[in-house]
């Protein structure tokens, strides 16, 4: 059973920074991609950043240039460095992993970590 555990959320003033971590219970090499999503109250969950097993990254337009996703394979951990935070970045941030096998595609989710940005 795959477990993803997020940490690093909290309260920060606008313009500040936070670094989120997502620690997997096993090797992250098995995942085709690892992603960060966020969900604000009343909104749908949205993809914020993604990183493939090969290291390719992509970002939503709303965070491009401010957020950076990275992975440490030795620590089985994915990070989201968030700089120049804005109040509209306030949300619960979720780690997600995608695994494609011959038989099927699987998704795994962490429990989420709250990020609150005050103005």
């Amino acid at each position: 059973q795959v477990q993803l555990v997020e940490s690093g959320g909290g309260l920060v003033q606008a313009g500040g920074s936070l670094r989120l971590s997502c620690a997997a219970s096993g090797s992250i090499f098995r995942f085709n991609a690892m992603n960060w999503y966020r969900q604000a109250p009343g909104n749908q969950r949205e993809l914020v950043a993604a990183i493939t097993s090969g290291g390719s990254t992509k970002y939503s337009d709303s965070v491009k240039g401010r957020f950076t996703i990275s992975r440490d394979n030795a620590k089985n951990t994915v990070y989201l460095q968030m700089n120049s935070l804005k109040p509209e970045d306030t949300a619960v941030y979720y780690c997600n992993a995608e695994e494609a096998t011959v038989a099927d595609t699987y998704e795994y989710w962490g429990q989420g970590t709250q990020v609150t940005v005050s103005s």
Side-chain angles (χ1 to χ4, degrees):
Q1 181 71 15
V2 174
Q3 286 189 320
L4 303 175
V5 179
E6 301 102 332
S7 61
L11 173 64
V12 65
Q13 287 188 330
S17 298
L18 284 174
R19 188 177 80 155
L20 305 183
S21 299
C22 171
S25 56
S27 172
I28 62 175
F29 279 114
R30 65 189 284 184
F31 302 126
N32 303 84
M34 295 194 72
N35 313 301
W36 285 98
Y37 285 78
R38 68 185 180 188
Q39 187 168 21
N43 291 357
Q44 289 189 333
R45 194 172 293 190
E46 63 170 342
L47 178 65
V48 174
I51 186 165
T52 68
S53 56
S56 298
T57 59
K58 67 176 180 180
Y59 301 91
S60 67
D61 288 342
S62 61
V63 307
K64 201 171 294 182
R66 300 187 297 121
F67 290 12
T68 302
I69 189 170
S70 62
R71 58 193 290 160
D72 186 333
N73 293 328
K75 295 183 178 180
N76 296 320
T77 300
V78 174
Y79 303 98
L80 185 67
Q81 177 67 43
M82 305 186 295
N83 299 327
S84 303
L85 283 161
K86 305 175 181 180
E88 51 264 43
D89 294 318
T90 295
V92 178
Y93 284 70
Y94 296 92
C95 180
N96 165 272
E98 300 174 8
E99 181 182 17
T101 68
V102 174
D104 209 337
T105 300
Y106 302 91
E107 278 195 289
Y108 306 97
W109 291 91
Q111 81 288 351
T113 185
Q114 176 71 46
V115 171
T116 303
V117 184
S118 63
S119 57

